[in-house]
Amino acid sequence: MMSKTLNDSQSRKEQDTSNKTNGVLLDVKDLHTYFFTEEGIVKAVDGVSFQINYDEILGLVGETGCGKSVTALSLLKLIRSPGEILSGQILFDGDDIVSKTEDEMLKIRGNSITMMFQDPMNSLNPVMKVGDQLAEVYLLHQMDNLKAELIKAREKNKRLKENLKRMKNELKTSSPDGAETLKNQIKAIKEQIKFRITITNMAHRESAALLDRIGLPNADTIINRYPHELSGGMRQRIMIAMGLACNSKLLICDEPTTALDVTIQAQILDMIRELKRKLKNSVLFITHSLGVIYELCDRVAVMYSGNIVEYGPVENIFKKPMHPYTKGLMGAIPRVTKASRESELQIIPGMVPNLIYPPNGCRFHPRCDHAMQICKEINPPLKLMENNVQVACHLFDEDKSNSTLFRKLTFEEKQEDVL
Amino acid sequence: MNEAITGKTKITNKLINQNYDGPLLTVKNLAVDYPIIGGIFMRQIGTVKAVRDISFSVYPDETLGIVGESGCGKTTIAKTILNLVESSKGEIWYKNIRIDNRLKKMRKVRQKIQMVFQDPDASLSPRMKIVDIVGEPLRNLQGMRDGTEIRRKVLLLLKQVSLKAEHLDRFPHEFSGGQKQRIVIARALACEPDVICLDEPTSALDVSVQAQILNLLKDLQEKFHIAYVFITHDLSVIHHIGHRIGVMYLGLFVETGTIDDIFYNTQHPYTKALLSARPAVSEDEKQHKIILEGEIPSPSNPPTGCSFHPRCQEKMLPECNKESPHETILSDTHHVWCWKYAK
């Protein structure tokens, strides 16, 4: 009941704002997040720009250490010292998040943007019952709604009590056979007002209803359990429930299915898809599995070493990857087709660069088969190609007349920048 | 045929290195129980039947894949083969030597059966240099004592897994995940084994690194004619590297066969569900998703009858919840345990 009213108001709000921001919910512009460590400056996110539209799932894919998670943490300003968001804009519904204070952020986190972390065991409190943890979300972020509900419930109770009084009076004067039905009615009402209505109780009731909605069986018993009593899939579902408790406009999922079996992963992905269809919120889905991206997302951004190298609709990128790194990643996936078994898996030579001393120019050039002189000097910007795909690669430069710049590099030349 | 070696016969190097035509490793009706200890007097109050009745054999030059969800007993099989866990029933044979539960005599056999664990971080001692880590089996199992000789041998091994001489004196924390897994593989190769049990060797790695490791394993197999027992939950990996597959559910095989049998002639409903749950990356791989309800049941209290029946989406037969299905032989290589095919 409560969430329904909330949904309505939210969709109305969305219509207002979507006109204002042209259908873009989150607009990240040239984000730089660096970590100032003793060894040097780790350029974890170095000039990342992307947009998330309303009612869309954007996938962020890349290998370990490419800056996916740091990007997500930056969106919530959860970067801790020695890390810092150096420059860039994060426009959420037209508001810049980067300039917000910590107090203002507390209101945004959980309410408008929710994050779901990778390891459900580490993100759930082991000494608190699951129901209490879920109720906490409601108590922190939806106090106003809860209070309104509470007043409603109390009024209802009052009415019931008055009824009860009236019935008891009637009972004294009524005939013997009418008394029997009256007694039964009184019993039913007493059952209804047995529970004391407090705000915590309301929150608990909401949590159970939420678990029911996301398809966990026996929600009433589950809220009284501790996290260690639940299986990995169930814990992940509790985390998702927590993320959904506030009907946030943006849900950030940081590798939510990495630790799970394929069958459970399929269940969770199905659930996220179903919920997104119902709630019409936007999702930023971070993963290293290209398969999950293909199954779930509308658009995808491929990250490499702090930069986005390819960005566009999933269908187009998977059908025809353009950037050599994306191509390499696709080739590295073992496929289940008869032809693929005979051939060797493609590999990307070398390793992910050290983010303290990244290679000059394009950060992928030491591992790239097509590396040219210009790749060593200029980091290519994202460039719009056909099919709405944006690619950051010098291979697609139009003007290739300068033959010294577009000379192919030898292996030794490529390795000069690698430390 | 050589005679079977059991009981108190001493296992010598000569015995281990003999020529033998049959399978390198044979597992017959293996069962492993873990006790549950509890109550006030710390008595055994139950058993977890991790592996219930598993038989297979592995031949040289071949990769046997064991696939299943977590908690189905895949890792326990590998551990039992290496005698890290005691079996409660069944036999394990290396060539014609019976090796199950003979811990003291295992040392000689360990040269020939090696294991690679899932987490390379946890299987490398953080305080040992690479040369000591990879040289340890040479010292302990082959009795090499000469330091320079060991160093020379270790360098050769590192070269096999594309690492360099400069890596010899480094510590594990200086390496990336993929390189660590290479070191673990080099260590497993040190004693020229016949069989390597690989327990999810690539599941902690990124796809591009996973591809490097898979290609490396394939090359090594061609070079040294090693047999792999490859344990994984990722069907596409086993499709790439495997020859035969056993699909496990709750301590039992539900379907065994060659790659072609399992992937292109799938019979058991569980295998079908597993195959369809795998996220696809292209249009031609995309298929109708079978989403299984619920989760794998507890192995301490498996369901009666076929252990898969509570989650099975096929029409239930009257036998399904009463009796365990028998092995049905569909072809020479393709066996399935399902009432649908039993007749």
Side-chain angles (χ1 to χ4, degrees):
Chain A
M1 46 194 170
M2 179 168 103
S3 21
K4 192 167 161 265
T5 52
L6 206 79
N7 263 347
D8 290 347
S9 66
Q10 191 176 320
S11 60
R12 231 176 294 125
K13 233 186 324 178
E14 254 169 43
Q15 276 167 7
D16 297 344
T17 42
S18 59
N19 294 333
K20 193 170 75 190
T21 54
N22 249 339
V24 179
L25 173 67
L26 183 84
D27 193 354
V28 179
K29 286 181 191 163
D30 202 26
L31 181 71
H32 288 77
T33 306
Y34 287 3
F35 289 83
F36 298 90
T37 63
E38 279 176 19
E39 269 180 71
I41 304 168
V42 181
K43 303 174 189 79
V45 176
D46 206 10
V48 161
S49 310
F50 61 88
Q51 280 116 30
I52 302 175
N53 300 330
Y54 285 100
D55 194 10
E56 174 189 63
I57 306 184
L58 177 76
L60 196 57
V61 68
E63 286 177 285
T64 317
C66 72
K68 315 184 288 278
S69 293
V70 176
T71 309
L73 291 174
S74 304
L75 297 185
L76 284 169
K77 281 192 80 172
L78 283 173
I79 301 290
R80 261 191 235 159
S81 169
E84 204 183 308
I85 300 177
L86 267 187
S87 63
Q89 274 187 315
I90 302 169
L91 297 176
F92 180 74
D93 250 356
D95 282 347
D96 191 6
I97 282 182
V98 178
S99 58
K100 288 246 185 323
T101 61
E102 188 60 29
D103 282 350
E104 288 171 314
M105 278 317 293
L106 278 179
K107 283 185 193 128
I108 291 176
R109 283 181 209 139
N111 283 333
S112 322
I113 310 179
T114 310
M115 182 145 177
M116 227 156 67
F117 293 93
Q118 177 170 1
D119 188 352
M121 202 58 215
N122 287 340
S123 330
L124 291 173
N125 188 341
V127 294
M128 257 172 102
K129 282 178 184 166
V130 167
D132 292 343
Q133 298 188 49
L134 270 168
E136 208 175 31
V137 180
Y138 281 103
L139 291 173
L140 267 177
H141 295 293
Q142 301 212 329
M143 208 49 175
D144 296 344
N145 285 314
L146 277 182
K147 274 182 184 158
E149 283 287 305
L150 189 69
I151 291 167
K152 253 192 243 163
R154 285 208 169 130
E155 270 170 9
K156 195 182 163 200
N157 252 19
K158 223 183 197 171
R159 268 203 315 279
L160 285 175
K161 272 181 187 160
E162 275 165 14
N163 267 355
L164 200 65
K165 225 181 220 169
R166 197 170 37 93
M167 279 178 179
K168 276 182 179 163
N169 284 337
E170 269 176 38
L171 193 63
K172 285 172 195 159
T173 56
S174 68
S175 59
D177 46 319
E180 196 61 28
T181 49
L182 261 179
K183 266 183 190 163
N184 281 338
Q185 277 173 353
I186 288 173
K187 225 181 197 173
I189 290 175
K190 272 189 176 165
E191 193 68 24
Q192 274 188 47
I193 55 173
K194 202 170 69 182
F195 301 104
R196 259 191 75 212
I197 299 174
T198 61
I199 204 125
T200 0
N201 276 346
M202 295 302 299
H204 270 108
R205 204 186 284 174
E206 281 300 323
S207 332
L210 179 68
L211 288 184
D212 222 28
R213 262 214 318 274
I214 62 167
L216 268 179
N218 318 331
D220 294 336
T221 56
I222 285 177
I223 58 168
N224 284 322
R225 292 209 202 155
Y226 289 94
H228 72 265
E229 296 177 278
L230 305 174
S231 69
M234 269 207 235
R235 283 200 287 261
Q236 196 65 59
R237 262 174 254 216
I238 303 279
M239 290 297 298
I240 292 175
M242 273 185 172
L244 294 170
C246 297
N247 283 314
S248 343
K249 282 189 226 164
L250 178 64
L251 183 63
I252 303 174
C253 308
D254 190 359
E255 311 233 7
T257 60
T258 308
L260 304 174
D261 277 315
V262 267
T263 52
I264 309 294
Q265 170 173 295
Q267 286 175 8
I268 299 272
L269 292 185
D270 196 49
M271 198 180 101
I272 292 178
R273 210 178 292 133
E274 184 68 15
L275 286 168
K276 204 221 101 198
R277 204 175 51 78
K278 262 192 229 158
L279 300 176
K280 303 237 175 291
N281 53 358
S282 309
V283 182
L284 174 63
F285 199 93
I286 297 171
T287 178
H288 66 261
S289 157
L290 284 164
V292 173
I293 295 275
Y294 188 70
E295 295 274 323
L296 189 71
C297 299
D298 303 313
R299 289 189 306 141
V300 60
V302 184
M303 268 189 100
Y304 181 76
S305 186
N307 296 129
I308 287 179
V309 294
E310 194 160 359
Y311 172 54
V314 166
E315 285 294 327
N316 300 346
I317 288 187
F318 275 71
K319 208 175 274 169
K320 195 179 153 220
M322 308 240 251
H323 197 280
Y325 177 64
T326 323
K327 272 187 201 162
L329 272 187
M330 301 270 179
I333 306 171
R335 313 247 170 153
V336 180
T337 50
K338 276 188 178 167
S340 69
R341 232 175 93 208
E342 309 307 322
S343 57
E344 276 219 328
L345 288 177
Q346 271 181 46
I347 55 167
I348 308 174
M351 279 190 310
V352 183
N354 182 340
L355 285 167
I356 298 180
Y357 310 104
N360 291 328
C362 172
R363 289 185 175 181
F364 186 60
H365 85 260
R367 301 173 75 186
C368 183
D369 287 338
H370 310 279
M372 298 174 291
Q373 185 63 33
I374 187 171
C375 300
K376 252 176 121 169
E377 286 159 24
I378 304 165
N379 197 4
L382 277 174
K383 190 166 164 253
L384 189 65
M385 308 293 292
E386 75 254 44
N387 315 333
N388 273 334
V389 177
Q390 293 184 44
V391 186
C393 183
H394 287 299
L395 280 179
F396 305 103
D397 283 357
E398 272 144 27
D399 176 30
K400 287 190 186 167
S401 50
N402 190 338
S403 59
T404 48
L405 273 183
F406 288 94
R407 181 179 57 86
K408 246 190 156 184
L409 291 179
T410 60
F411 180 74
E412 283 74 26
E413 281 175 314
K414 278 197 267 182
Q415 297 307 313
E416 280 168 11
D417 265 359
V418 183
L419 282 167
Chain B
M1 194 77 176
N2 313 41
E3 60 180 308
I5 312 285
T6 51
K8 289 188 175 157
T9 324
K10 202 171 172 221
I11 300 175
T12 56
N13 277 342
K14 200 178 148 202
L15 255 182
I16 282 174
N17 291 322
Q18 66 179 323
N19 283 325
Y20 185 73
D21 310 326
L24 281 176
L25 190 73
T26 315
V27 173
K28 282 184 200 160
N29 300 92
L30 182 73
V32 182
D33 296 343
Y34 293 115
I36 307 173
I37 308 289
I40 349 174
F41 299 111
M42 286 320 216
R43 287 200 187 127
Q44 184 177 341
I45 52 169
T47 43
V48 174
K49 296 184 180 111
V51 176
R52 292 196 276 167
D53 184 6
I54 291 282
S55 311
F56 61 84
S57 41
V58 187
Y59 294 85
D61 267 324
E62 175 191 60
T63 303
L64 173 80
I66 298 178
V67 190
E69 284 176 279
S70 33
C72 73
K74 321 184 282 281
T75 305
T76 304
I77 293 183
K79 285 189 176 163
T80 320
I81 292 173
L82 276 116
N83 244 321
L84 301 173
V85 169
E86 224 169 85
S87 67
S88 48
K89 224 172 73 193
E91 301 168 4
I92 302 171
W93 297 76
Y94 168 73
K95 288 182 180 170
N96 58 346
I97 310 164
R98 187 166 171 182
I99 57 170
D100 55 306
N101 299 342
R102 297 175 77 195
L103 204 54
K104 280 184 186 153
K105 311 210 165 164
M106 198 54 195
R107 180 162 275 219
K108 295 272 182 216
V109 183
R110 283 249 167 91
Q111 295 178 27
K112 293 295 165 191
I113 307 177
Q114 281 287 334
M115 181 140 178
V116 171
F117 292 95
Q118 175 172 4
D119 186 358
D121 279 309
S123 32
L124 297 172
S125 165
R127 295 175 180 221
M128 278 165 89
K129 287 179 181 169
I130 301 310
V131 57
D132 298 326
I133 291 174
V134 180
E136 203 177 13
L138 297 174
R139 273 177 215 276
N140 287 347
L141 299 178
Q142 293 203 321
M144 279 169 89
R145 288 286 171 268
D146 183 6
T148 44
E149 179 67 10
I150 288 177
R151 220 179 148 76
R152 200 184 56 77
K153 187 88 197 286
V154 170
L155 182 58
L156 283 179
L157 286 166
L158 288 188
K159 281 193 177 145
Q160 297 288 359
V161 296
S162 343
L163 290 173
K164 296 178 193 129
E166 69 218 45
H167 295 135
L168 274 175
D169 290 308
R170 291 197 192 161
F171 288 96
H173 71 264
E174 295 173 71
F175 292 92
S176 70
Q179 284 176 317
K180 278 184 210 158
Q181 200 58 284
R182 281 165 195 271
I183 294 165
V184 177
I185 291 171
R187 177 173 63 185
L189 288 174
C191 293
E192 292 157 15
D194 290 333
V195 183
I196 300 185
C197 295
L198 301 146
D199 185 7
E200 310 240 10
T202 61
S203 58
L205 307 173
D206 280 317
V207 264
S208 67
V209 185
Q210 167 176 295
Q212 292 174 6
I213 298 287
L214 290 181
N215 284 349
L216 171 74
L217 287 172
K218 254 187 161 175
D219 290 347
L220 290 174
Q221 185 166 51
E222 269 167 36
K223 225 186 264 174
F224 300 114
H225 309 288
I226 312 169
Y228 292 140
V229 177
F230 200 103
I231 292 164
T232 180
H233 65 264
D234 189 342
L235 280 159
S236 36
V237 167
I238 206 66
H239 179 267
H240 186 75
I241 198 170
H243 300 100
R244 287 190 299 136
I245 310 180
V247 181
M248 266 184 96
Y249 190 79
L250 219 61
L252 291 170
F253 277 140
V254 294
E255 191 169 1
T256 56
T258 60
I259 297 276
D260 289 332
D261 293 335
I262 301 283
F263 282 87
Y264 306 109
N265 186 17
T266 320
Q267 299 299 336
H268 198 281
Y270 179 62
T271 321
K272 282 181 192 160
L274 263 190
L275 275 172
S276 82
R278 201 181 49 84
V281 283
S282 60
E283 202 51 54
D284 45 316
E285 275 181 74
K286 227 174 186 174
Q287 48 176 316
H288 172 65
K289 282 258 174 304
I290 305 170
I291 292 179
L292 289 180
E293 303 266 314
E295 292 167 24
I296 193 162
S298 156
S300 60
N301 184 20
T304 54
C306 169
S307 26
F308 186 58
H309 86 262
R311 295 171 84 190
C312 188
Q313 298 191 346
E314 307 265 330
K315 210 175 138 217
M316 206 160 104
L317 299 169
E319 296 95 330
C320 280
N321 57 3
K322 295 207 180 75
E323 205 182 328
S324 262
H326 308 300
E327 181 173 4
T328 311
I329 298 167
L330 298 174
S331 73
D332 276 354
T333 51
H334 198 175
H335 298 195
V336 67
W337 283 256
C338 179
W339 281 115
K340 226 172 87 188
Y341 305 98
K343 270 295 158 287

